[in-house]
Amino acid sequence: MKVLMVCLGNICRSPLAEGILRHKSQEKGLNWHIESAGTGAWHVGQAPDPRSQRVAKQHGIDISKQRAQQFSPYHIEMFDLIFAMDSSNYQDIIRHAKTDAEKNKIQLIMNMVEPGMNKAVPDPYYDDHLYATVYQMLDEACDNIISKYAINN
Ligand code: 4NP
């Protein structure tokens, strides 16, 4: 299974989602390929925000080696599953999907926890206090991603 996590800057939410899902998939012995990307290009090449690195480390996950990349329409062909953090990311991605099969790869990540509710993972960039909440949301979503998709791969 190839999974892409997408947010705006690729330094706060999606790198955390990438690190959490990689950690959980490795714990389960799954041979999954996981990356993350941002719809914006401002932070390309940068390590995750120190606040995301810190909250990951508090849970035993090292995301310091990850580097930001910009989302490209090619990612839709390359990946099996693409998870957007909020509806703005979702709209930015889905407009590049050429077929229904491609559209079906793309979903809001919190719909893995509360299906159909279209909840956003809040952007913590301007609010230090949100990192712990964001971590808990992504942790639960990643558990459910594994439960749902590990059967086939
Ligand atoms: P992220 O947070 O999308 O979770 O990585 C942001 C990081 C940087 C910016 C916006 C959101 N920015 O505008 O630079």
Side-chain angles (χ1 to χ4, degrees):
M1 197 65 82
K2 296 190 185 71
V3 185
L4 183 71
M5 301 293 190
V6 180
C7 64
L8 178 60
N10 195 208
I11 53 166
C12 298
R13 291 165 293 176
S14 63
L16 207 43
E18 175 188 346
I20 293 169
L21 189 63
R22 180 175 296 115
H23 183 78
K24 289 180 186 294
S25 66
Q26 287 173 350
E27 273 184 345
K28 297 271 181 194
L30 299 166
N31 188 27
W32 283 14
H33 177 86
I34 301 151
E35 294 184 27
S36 61
T39 57
W42 313 285
H43 300 284
V44 167
Q46 292 181 13
D49 188 287
R51 296 164 295 180
S52 284
Q53 291 193 40
R54 192 177 313 124
V55 74
K57 204 171 178 185
Q58 283 166 356
H59 293 87
I61 300 174
D62 179 8
I63 62 168
S64 65
K65 307 285 189 302
Q66 297 174 199
R67 293 295 178 267
Q69 63 175 330
Q70 187 173 22
F71 172 79
S72 147
Y74 292 114
H75 285 131
I76 303 178
E77 293 171 31
M78 287 163 47
F79 286 84
D80 303 308
L81 293 170
I82 300 174
F83 290 105
M85 299 297 126
D86 62 36
S87 58
S88 166
N89 315 144
Y90 179 84
Q91 294 302 334
D92 284 342
I93 302 167
I94 201 132
R95 66 195 173 89
H96 297 288
K98 295 188 287 288
T99 62
D100 282 348
E102 287 194 349
K103 286 195 178 94
N104 289 336
K105 294 179 177 186
I106 304 163
Q107 41 191 322
L108 277 170
I109 192 166
M110 290 315 293
N111 280 347
M112 292 301 302
V113 177
E114 293 177 276
M117 296 301 288
N118 298 335
K119 259 197 187 174
V121 178
D123 188 344
Y125 192 58
Y126 296 105
D127 187 350
D128 293 351
H129 300 290
L130 276 176
Y131 283 85
T133 307
V134 165
Y135 186 93
Q136 291 307 329
M137 293 175 85
L138 294 175
D139 187 65
E140 194 176 0
C142 288
D143 278 338
N144 293 355
I145 291 168
I146 300 247
S147 305
K148 179 164 182 184
Y149 296 103
I151 316 141
N152 301 319
N153 202 334

